[in-house]
Amino acid sequence: MRSIPSSNRIEGLDTVRAIAALSVVFAHLLGPSMPGISRYIFTGHPAVIAFFVISGFCIHFPFRAAELSTVTFLKRRYVRIMIPAAVALVLAQWVGIRAYNPLDGYILWSVVCEVIYYSLYPLFLPISRKVGWPAMIAVSVIVSYAIVIGLGSDEYGSAQKYGPSLNWLVSLPAWLMGCYLAQTYRRGVFVGNVWLWRIATAATASILYWATINTPAGFYLTMVPFGVLACGWIISETSNAERGNAVAVLEKVGEACFSIYLMHVIAATVIERLGVASPVLVCAGSLLMIAPFYYFVEKPAHELSRSIGRRSIAKTLNSP
């Protein structure tokens, strides 16, 4: 097996990223001001679960049958995620958002999980080739539920309250589902009308949000089965895009999803301090302010990550 990962891009994934990122933004910036049951329309945590599934998919897809160069892989992933996260952390502290840090878990909790998943993937990969992803998912589900049932949750049913040492284990099933999805992915698979999947996923996320706030069945109990639903939605989007129906605007927005996720609260804080009180204007202004971060921080980090990969490929090709 060769250590040169595939560069094939799968359309439709950025659409999922865009919808998930915007859902997080709207949940944080618009949701609290919306009346009655409408405040449950936009959700944050289910969107992050969709991110985890996509992350597992994208990490494993190039290495389904290829050899992994651990050092190059880790260099690329750390550069890709840590540079934008570090800059966002500095900006958050500068504007006074003290909870925006890896320990308290505000926003960055999922980034910590991602770093751990990347770090463990070189170990997960050979294990998966011996026992299979389904077995690994089954074990992770048992561990996840053992933690959340054993420790319980806070009054909001949060699923990221267990700290950086355990949060990644609670959400690990979703990430491994993404790896399994990548392993079994085949082009030309049709799984039904994409709008039915979008509506079903959005409605389920909203219902689970309502249940989290109003019943004992919080996110900490429901995110594993939601991850299964997210897998179906993701495949429906890639299938839809494969047939030439990708939404160009969402595909473009999805490229900046990490910047949107990292920066929306920081940008909103700045805008509110300028005297803007309307949640709609704060939300719109925040999305506009994110663009410079994407072009001057995230995109260069992405390019640097790609450059590391190209250098590794060139070295492999030139080696005797």
Side-chain angles (χ1 to χ4, degrees), residues 146-279:
I147 293 171
V148 300
I149 294 174
L151 298 180
S153 184
D154 59 19
E155 61 181 310
Y156 302 109
S158 299
Q160 75 277 18
K161 59 142 280 184
Y162 307 100
S165 63
L166 293 178
N167 283 336
W168 71 275
L169 281 168
V170 173
S171 299
L172 181 59
W175 199 83
L176 294 180
M177 288 177 199
C179 294
Y180 178 64
L181 204 62
Q183 186 68 43
T184 57
Y185 180 76
R186 299 291 183 272
R187 297 186 186 276
V189 175
F190 180 67
V191 294
N193 185 282
V194 69
W195 276 104
L196 292 179
W197 280 101
R198 290 170 180 169
I199 292 170
T201 306
T204 301
S206 296
I207 292 169
L208 295 180
Y209 184 18
W210 176 89
T212 293
I213 300 301
N214 296 283
T215 78
F219 285 146
Y220 72 115
L221 294 174
T222 60
M223 286 301 95
V224 169
F226 182 81
V228 177
L229 179 61
C231 288
W233 173 37
I234 289 166
I235 291 301
S236 75
E237 291 289 356
T238 60
S239 174
N240 182 62
E242 192 178 304
R243 297 194 305 277
N245 298 322
V247 182
V249 172
L250 289 177
E251 287 286 290
K252 193 66 178 177
V253 170
E255 294 178 4
C257 68
F258 193 39
S259 294
I260 294 171
Y261 181 74
L262 288 174
M263 286 297 296
H264 69 282
V265 172
I266 300 172
T269 300
V270 172
I271 292 173
E272 288 171 349
R273 288 181 182 173
L274 294 175
V276 179
S278 167

Side-chain angles (χ1 to χ4, degrees), residues 61 115 127 137 144 146 150 255 262 303:
F61 189 77
V115 171
I127 294 175
I137 293 169
S144 177
E255 294 178 4
L262 288 174
E303 287 300 322

